[in-house]
């Protein structure tokens, strides 16, 4: 995505819209990603960056160090090379710089259903010394609503009854040509909401696609992606647990 396209699209968003540098690809591989982050920050948007740091340079950290990120999450490589991240001297230097930066970094690596992976051995001593290792998020893998096969993990069985969806309903994916799709689980690009270069933001949620998704929340004959998604499954399980719990506030 060019900076010009990014700016045109951002200028159409409500000020309370959070900009997530994440989704279908590694954001730091875009040579203008720091310029985009600084522009979104100047426009008053809250910002999240979810990255492997691949493409990030030491100079980039200097440029964005004072941005008040809502979340700055680094996906780390594991010790079995299942997360394909090249751990070379440049990568180590970036990790060391981020550890010492003003940025409040969250650290995460993924584990398979067997849960035997650890963080990469070249990183573990750094993270232990910095007091980070014990607080690492050890995340399970997701099938991306049945789009990715994972050894030892079954696809979600179709969720029956009414569903509520999840936070990704309004965490939409902007592509380099301005097209907007429903969420990061839509790897087949089936759920096209509109093009932000040619329409306004509100029209995305008046589209036939968006209406189809909302209708599918109520009709369990629907085959919408959400009915096969881990995030919706978790959401429904959570509601089931609390539906009979009384809540008090003072």
């Amino acid at each position: 995505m060019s900076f010009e396209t990014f700016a045109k699209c951002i200028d159409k968003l409500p000020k309370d819209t959070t900009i997530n540098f994440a989704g279908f690809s590694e954001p730091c591989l875009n040579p203008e990603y720091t310029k985009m982050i600084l522009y979104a920050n100047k426009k008053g948007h809250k910002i999240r960056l979810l990255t492997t740091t691949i493409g990030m340079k030491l100079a980039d950290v200097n440029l964005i160090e004072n941005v008040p990120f809502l979340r700055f999450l680094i996906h780390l490589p594991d010790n079995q090379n299942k997360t394909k991240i090249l751990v070379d001297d440049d990568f180590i230097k970036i990790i060391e710089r981020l550890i010492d930066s003003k940025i409040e970094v969250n650290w995460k690596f993924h584990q398979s259903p067997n849960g035997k992976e650890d963080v990469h051995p070249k990183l573990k001593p750094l993270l232990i010394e910095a007091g980070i290792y014990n607080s690492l998020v050890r995340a399970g893998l997701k099938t991306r609503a049945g789009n990715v096969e994972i050894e030892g993990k079954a696809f979600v069985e179709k969720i029956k009854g009414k569903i509520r969806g999840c936070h990704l309903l309004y965490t939409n994916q902007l592509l380099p040509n301005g097209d907007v799709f429903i969420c990061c689980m839509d790897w087949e690009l089936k759920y096209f909401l509109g093009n932000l270069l040619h329409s306004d933001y509100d029209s995305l949620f008046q589209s036939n696609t968006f209406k189809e998704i909302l209708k599918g929340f109520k009709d369990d004959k629907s085959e919408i992606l959400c009915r096969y998604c881990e995030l919706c499954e978790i959401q429904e399980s959570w509601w089931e647990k609390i539906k009979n719990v009384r809540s008090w506030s003072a």
Side-chain angles (χ1 to χ4, degrees):
M1 180 184 295
S2 69
F3 174 77
E4 289 72 21
T5 295
F6 177 82
K8 287 178 182 177
C9 293
I10 293 301
D11 288 347
K12 293 186 176 184
L13 301 182
K15 297 298 183 190
D16 61 352
T17 305
T18 299
I19 309 300
N20 298 301
F21 289 84
F24 292 140
S25 62
E26 168 51 61
C28 297
L29 286 173
N30 188 313
E32 297 188 292
Y33 86 94
T34 56
K35 189 176 180 181
M36 294 174 179
I37 288 175
L38 294 173
Y39 183 80
N41 182 54
K42 184 178 180 180
K43 296 287 289 188
H45 293 280
K46 293 179 180 178
I47 299 168
R48 296 187 183 98
L49 175 62
L50 283 66
T51 176
T52 64
T53 77
I54 299 301
M56 185 179 290
K57 299 177 175 61
L58 290 173
D60 295 343
V61 182
N62 297 336
L63 287 171
I64 63 176
E65 188 168 11
N66 292 311
V67 173
F69 288 95
L70 186 61
R71 193 180 190 201
F72 191 112
L73 176 66
I74 296 178
H75 294 276
L76 295 169
D78 64 274
N79 63 347
Q80 297 184 29
N81 198 33
K82 293 182 178 179
T83 305
K84 306 299 183 183
I85 299 173
L86 177 62
V87 182
D88 57 10
D89 289 343
D90 289 338
F91 181 83
I92 296 293
K93 288 176 183 177
I94 288 291
I95 297 300
E96 289 175 334
R97 175 68 179 90
L98 288 168
I99 288 174
D100 292 334
S101 74
K102 300 176 186 176
I103 302 170
E104 186 177 341
V105 179
N106 300 127
W107 307 85
K108 175 180 181 179
F109 75 97
H110 286 92
Q111 291 181 317
S112 66
N114 294 328
K116 294 181 180 179
E117 295 84 10
D118 197 356
V119 71
H120 194 282
K122 288 186 178 181
L123 298 178
K124 189 170 181 178
L126 296 175
L127 299 173
I128 291 174
E129 183 179 354
I132 294 170
Y133 178 75
N134 289 333
S135 62
L136 280 176
V137 175
R138 293 156 171 80
L141 296 169
K142 294 181 176 62
T143 68
R144 296 289 178 178
N147 282 305
V148 180
E149 291 187 9
I150 298 173
E151 185 178 354
K153 185 178 179 66
F155 288 151
V156 172
E157 292 188 12
K158 186 176 181 180
I159 304 169
K160 301 294 186 179
K162 292 183 180 181
I163 61 174
R164 298 165 182 81
C166 75
H167 65 284
L168 294 184
L169 185 63
Y170 295 98
T171 307
N172 316 118
Q173 297 295 307
L174 175 66
L175 270 58
N177 66 351
D179 285 350
V180 179
F181 288 83
I182 188 63
C183 75
C184 60
M185 302 296 179
D186 185 16
W187 282 23
E188 293 184 85
L189 300 181
K190 290 175 61 177
Y191 297 90
F192 172 70
L193 300 182
N195 185 291
L196 205 49
L197 290 176
H198 306 305
S199 63
D200 60 32
Y201 180 73
D202 289 339
S203 68
L204 302 176
F205 308 104
Q206 299 301 320
S207 65
N208 290 334
T209 300
F210 195 78
K211 291 175 182 177
E212 175 193 345
I213 292 169
L214 294 183
K215 183 179 178 181
F217 285 175
K218 299 176 182 178
D219 180 8
D220 65 7
K221 293 180 182 178
S222 169
E223 293 295 316
I224 59 170
L225 188 71
C226 309
R227 289 194 172 272
Y228 297 90
C229 180
E230 288 97 331
L231 294 183
C232 284
E233 184 183 47
I234 292 168
Q235 181 82 351
E236 294 310 306
S237 175
W238 181 80
W239 277 105
E240 187 67 24
K241 288 178 182 177
I242 70 164
K243 66 181 182 181
N244 294 319
V245 177
R246 290 176 179 263
S247 177
W248 299 86
S249 61

